[in-house]
mmCIF file of all heavy atoms in Angstrom:
data_model
loop_
_atom_site.group_PDB
_atom_site.id
_atom_site.type_symbol
_atom_site.label_atom_id
_atom_site.label_comp_id
_atom_site.label_asym_id
_atom_site.label_seq_id
_atom_site.Cartn_x
_atom_site.Cartn_y
_atom_site.Cartn_z
ATOM 1 N N ARG A 10 56.787 21.711 13.351
ATOM 2 C CA ARG A 10 56.350 20.444 12.754
ATOM 3 C C ARG A 10 57.170 19.278 13.313
ATOM 4 O O ARG A 10 56.641 18.190 13.559
ATOM 5 C CB ARG A 10 56.456 20.509 11.234
ATOM 6 C CG ARG A 10 55.352 21.345 10.589
ATOM 7 C CD ARG A 10 55.263 21.089 9.089
ATOM 8 N NE ARG A 10 56.483 21.523 8.394
ATOM 9 C CZ ARG A 10 56.659 22.750 7.915
ATOM 10 N NH1 ARG A 10 55.697 23.661 8.049
ATOM 11 N NH2 ARG A 10 57.772 23.066 7.284
ATOM 12 N N GLU A 11 58.483 19.492 13.510
ATOM 13 C CA GLU A 11 59.329 18.445 14.095
ATOM 14 C C GLU A 11 58.859 18.079 15.500
ATOM 15 O O GLU A 11 58.944 16.926 15.927
ATOM 16 C CB GLU A 11 60.785 18.905 14.153
ATOM 17 C CG GLU A 11 61.476 18.984 12.808
ATOM 18 C CD GLU A 11 62.906 19.466 12.951
ATOM 19 O OE1 GLU A 11 63.408 19.509 14.091
ATOM 20 O OE2 GLU A 11 63.534 19.800 11.924
ATOM 21 N N LEU A 12 58.363 19.084 16.223
ATOM 22 C CA LEU A 12 57.892 18.859 17.587
ATOM 23 C C LEU A 12 56.466 18.325 17.629
ATOM 24 O O LEU A 12 55.926 18.064 18.709
ATOM 25 C CB LEU A 12 57.971 20.167 18.385
ATOM 26 C CG LEU A 12 59.377 20.723 18.627
ATOM 27 C CD1 LEU A 12 59.299 22.134 19.213
ATOM 28 C CD2 LEU A 12 60.171 19.807 19.563
ATOM 29 N N GLY A 13 55.837 18.177 16.449
ATOM 30 C CA GLY A 13 54.472 17.670 16.390
ATOM 31 C C GLY A 13 53.437 18.694 16.772
ATOM 32 O O GLY A 13 52.353 18.341 17.245
ATOM 33 N N ARG A 14 53.750 19.952 16.595
ATOM 34 C CA ARG A 14 52.833 21.030 16.938
ATOM 35 C C ARG A 14 52.576 21.895 15.704
ATOM 36 O O ARG A 14 53.448 22.076 14.842
ATOM 37 C CB ARG A 14 53.403 21.912 18.050
ATOM 38 C CG ARG A 14 53.584 21.191 19.378
ATOM 39 C CD ARG A 14 52.239 20.865 20.018
ATOM 40 N NE ARG A 14 52.382 20.364 21.373
ATOM 41 C CZ ARG A 14 52.568 19.099 21.704
ATOM 42 N NH1 ARG A 14 52.627 18.184 20.735
ATOM 43 N NH2 ARG A 14 52.674 18.728 22.958
ATOM 44 N N SER A 15 51.375 22.457 15.632
ATOM 45 C CA SER A 15 51.039 23.336 14.510
ATOM 46 C C SER A 15 50.636 24.731 14.969
ATOM 47 O O SER A 15 50.482 25.631 14.151
ATOM 48 C CB SER A 15 49.899 22.727 13.680
ATOM 49 O OG SER A 15 48.744 22.541 14.492
ATOM 50 N N ALA A 16 50.418 24.890 16.269
ATOM 51 C CA ALA A 16 49.977 26.187 16.794
ATOM 52 C C ALA A 16 50.787 26.514 18.039
ATOM 53 O O ALA A 16 51.372 25.641 18.685
ATOM 54 C CB ALA A 16 48.483 26.151 17.125
ATOM 55 N N ILE A 17 50.836 27.789 18.339
ATOM 56 C CA ILE A 17 51.532 28.250 19.536
ATOM 57 C C ILE A 17 50.479 28.655 20.587
ATOM 58 O O ILE A 17 49.320 28.892 20.229
ATOM 59 C CB ILE A 17 52.479 29.425 19.194
ATOM 60 C CG1 ILE A 17 51.712 30.551 18.502
ATOM 61 C CG2 ILE A 17 53.637 28.948 18.368
ATOM 62 C CD1 ILE A 17 52.538 31.789 18.252
ATOM 63 N N PRO A 18 50.867 28.712 21.869
ATOM 64 C CA PRO A 18 52.232 28.662 22.394
ATOM 65 C C PRO A 18 52.786 27.241 22.503
ATOM 66 O O PRO A 18 52.041 26.293 22.760
ATOM 67 C CB PRO A 18 52.091 29.283 23.779
ATOM 68 C CG PRO A 18 50.686 28.966 24.181
ATOM 69 C CD PRO A 18 49.883 29.036 22.918
ATOM 70 N N VAL A 19 54.099 27.155 22.295
ATOM 71 C CA VAL A 19 54.836 25.918 22.518
ATOM 72 C C VAL A 19 56.089 26.292 23.301
ATOM 73 O O VAL A 19 56.825 27.200 22.907
ATOM 74 C CB VAL A 19 55.227 25.232 21.194
ATOM 75 C CG1 VAL A 19 56.115 24.024 21.472
ATOM 76 C CG2 VAL A 19 53.990 24.823 20.412
ATOM 77 N N ASN A 20 56.323 25.617 24.423
ATOM 78 C CA ASN A 20 57.512 25.857 25.239
ATOM 79 C C ASN A 20 58.235 24.529 25.425
ATOM 80 O O ASN A 20 57.598 23.513 25.754
ATOM 81 C CB ASN A 20 57.135 26.449 26.593
ATOM 82 C CG ASN A 20 56.467 27.807 26.454
ATOM 83 O OD1 ASN A 20 57.128 28.822 26.372
ATOM 84 N ND2 ASN A 20 55.131 27.822 26.397
ATOM 85 N N VAL A 21 59.538 24.550 25.214
ATOM 86 C CA VAL A 21 60.323 23.311 25.231
ATOM 87 C C VAL A 21 61.534 23.492 26.136
ATOM 88 O O VAL A 21 62.244 24.504 26.035
ATOM 89 C CB VAL A 21 60.790 22.918 23.817
ATOM 90 C CG1 VAL A 21 61.450 21.543 23.843
ATOM 91 C CG2 VAL A 21 59.628 22.921 22.838
ATOM 92 N N LEU A 22 61.784 22.499 27.003
ATOM 93 C CA LEU A 22 62.976 22.489 27.846
ATOM 94 C C LEU A 22 63.938 21.433 27.326
ATOM 95 O O LEU A 22 63.593 20.250 27.236
ATOM 96 C CB LEU A 22 62.593 22.183 29.305
ATOM 97 C CG LEU A 22 63.773 22.070 30.281
ATOM 98 C CD1 LEU A 22 64.493 23.409 30.417
ATOM 99 C CD2 LEU A 22 63.300 21.573 31.640
ATOM 100 N N TYR A 23 65.151 21.865 26.969
ATOM 101 C CA TYR A 23 66.203 20.963 26.518
ATOM 102 C C TYR A 23 67.239 20.835 27.631
ATOM 103 O O TYR A 23 67.840 21.830 28.051
ATOM 104 C CB TYR A 23 66.894 21.510 25.269
ATOM 105 C CG TYR A 23 66.010 21.639 24.047
ATOM 106 C CD1 TYR A 23 65.303 22.816 23.808
ATOM 107 C CD2 TYR A 23 65.895 20.604 23.131
ATOM 108 C CE1 TYR A 23 64.502 22.954 22.683
ATOM 109 C CE2 TYR A 23 65.099 20.737 21.999
ATOM 110 C CZ TYR A 23 64.400 21.908 21.786
ATOM 111 O OH TYR A 23 63.611 22.050 20.674
ATOM 112 N N VAL A 24 67.435 19.604 28.109
ATOM 113 C CA VAL A 24 68.466 19.331 29.112
ATOM 114 C C VAL A 24 69.420 18.307 28.515
ATOM 115 O O VAL A 24 68.971 17.246 28.044
ATOM 116 C CB VAL A 24 67.854 18.789 30.418
ATOM 117 C CG1 VAL A 24 68.947 18.489 31.440
ATOM 118 C CG2 VAL A 24 66.860 19.794 30.985
ATOM 119 N N PRO A 25 70.724 18.601 28.468
ATOM 120 C CA PRO A 25 71.685 17.652 27.890
ATOM 121 C C PRO A 25 71.556 16.258 28.504
ATOM 122 O O PRO A 25 71.475 16.108 29.728
ATOM 123 C CB PRO A 25 73.041 18.286 28.226
ATOM 124 C CG PRO A 25 72.750 19.751 28.335
ATOM 125 C CD PRO A 25 71.384 19.841 28.918
ATOM 126 N N GLY A 26 71.496 15.237 27.623
ATOM 127 C CA GLY A 26 71.371 13.861 28.087
ATOM 128 C C GLY A 26 69.952 13.405 28.309
ATOM 129 O O GLY A 26 69.731 12.250 28.685
ATOM 130 N N LYS A 27 68.976 14.295 28.109
ATOM 131 C CA LYS A 27 67.573 13.940 28.307
ATOM 132 C C LYS A 27 66.758 14.289 27.072
ATOM 133 O O LYS A 27 67.173 15.103 26.243
ATOM 134 C CB LYS A 27 66.991 14.671 29.527
ATOM 135 C CG LYS A 27 67.647 14.322 30.858
ATOM 136 C CD LYS A 27 66.943 15.050 32.008
ATOM 137 C CE LYS A 27 67.557 14.707 33.346
ATOM 138 N NZ LYS A 27 66.858 15.387 34.472
ATOM 139 N N GLU A 28 65.582 13.674 26.966
ATOM 140 C CA GLU A 28 64.666 14.000 25.883
ATOM 141 C C GLU A 28 64.053 15.384 26.124
ATOM 142 O O GLU A 28 63.812 15.765 27.277
ATOM 143 C CB GLU A 28 63.542 12.961 25.795
ATOM 144 C CG GLU A 28 63.982 11.612 25.277
ATOM 145 C CD GLU A 28 64.444 11.684 23.825
ATOM 146 O OE1 GLU A 28 63.788 12.381 23.022
ATOM 147 O OE2 GLU A 28 65.472 11.067 23.506
ATOM 148 N N PRO A 29 63.791 16.171 25.054
ATOM 149 C CA PRO A 29 63.148 17.483 25.233
ATOM 150 C C PRO A 29 61.780 17.334 25.904
ATOM 151 O O PRO A 29 61.045 16.376 25.643
ATOM 152 C CB PRO A 29 63.010 18.012 23.799
ATOM 153 C CG PRO A 29 64.016 17.250 23.003
ATOM 154 C CD PRO A 29 64.112 15.897 23.643
ATOM 155 N N VAL A 30 61.445 18.270 26.770
ATOM 156 C CA VAL A 30 60.157 18.274 27.466
ATOM 157 C C VAL A 30 59.306 19.400 26.891
ATOM 158 O O VAL A 30 59.688 20.576 26.943
ATOM 159 C CB VAL A 30 60.335 18.488 28.983
ATOM 160 C CG1 VAL A 30 58.971 18.512 29.669
ATOM 161 C CG2 VAL A 30 61.226 17.408 29.576
ATOM 162 N N ILE A 31 58.144 19.045 26.317
ATOM 163 C CA ILE A 31 57.213 20.033 25.772
ATOM 164 C C ILE A 31 56.157 20.303 26.844
ATOM 165 O O ILE A 31 55.497 19.384 27.332
ATOM 166 C CB ILE A 31 56.556 19.538 24.476
ATOM 167 C CG1 ILE A 31 57.629 19.221 23.425
ATOM 168 C CG2 ILE A 31 55.582 20.584 23.938
ATOM 169 C CD1 ILE A 31 57.082 18.647 22.133
ATOM 170 N N THR A 32 55.994 21.552 27.194
ATOM 171 C CA THR A 32 55.082 21.920 28.283
ATOM 172 C C THR A 32 53.638 21.986 27.782
ATOM 173 O O THR A 32 53.392 22.034 26.566
ATOM 174 C CB THR A 32 55.465 23.289 28.860
ATOM 175 O OG1 THR A 32 55.143 24.304 27.905
ATOM 176 C CG2 THR A 32 56.946 23.358 29.175
ATOM 177 N N PRO A 33 52.669 22.032 28.699
ATOM 178 C CA PRO A 33 51.281 22.330 28.291
ATOM 179 C C PRO A 33 51.187 23.740 27.702
ATOM 180 O O PRO A 33 52.091 24.564 27.884
ATOM 181 C CB PRO A 33 50.499 22.221 29.601
ATOM 182 C CG PRO A 33 51.382 21.477 30.539
ATOM 183 C CD PRO A 33 52.792 21.774 30.138
ATOM 184 N N GLU A 34 50.086 24.034 27.036
ATOM 185 C CA GLU A 34 49.925 25.347 26.413
ATOM 186 C C GLU A 34 49.806 26.448 27.457
ATOM 187 O O GLU A 34 50.379 27.523 27.314
ATOM 188 C CB GLU A 34 48.696 25.360 25.494
ATOM 189 C CG GLU A 34 48.891 24.565 24.214
ATOM 190 C CD GLU A 34 47.724 24.741 23.257
ATOM 191 O OE1 GLU A 34 46.745 25.416 23.641
ATOM 192 O OE2 GLU A 34 47.799 24.220 22.136
ATOM 193 N N VAL A 35 49.022 26.202 28.504
ATOM 194 C CA VAL A 35 48.830 27.203 29.552
ATOM 195 C C VAL A 35 49.782 26.893 30.699
ATOM 196 O O VAL A 35 49.790 25.775 31.229
ATOM 197 C CB VAL A 35 47.368 27.220 30.055
ATOM 198 C CG1 VAL A 35 47.203 28.259 31.156
ATOM 199 C CG2 VAL A 35 46.424 27.519 28.891
#
């Protein structure tokens, strides 16, 4: 919910100093 998603798949890349990157579903 924090990521604005309600269904999976959800993949997230966290890099220090940058905003999290949420990938496409496929």
Side-chain angles (χ1 to χ4, degrees):
R10 285 195 296 271
E11 289 179 12
L12 295 170
R14 296 290 189 273
S15 59
I17 55 174
V19 174
N20 297 275
V21 187
L22 177 65
Y23 297 90
V24 179
K27 297 183 179 181
E28 289 295 318
V30 179
I31 302 177
T32 71
E34 288 187 356
V35 179

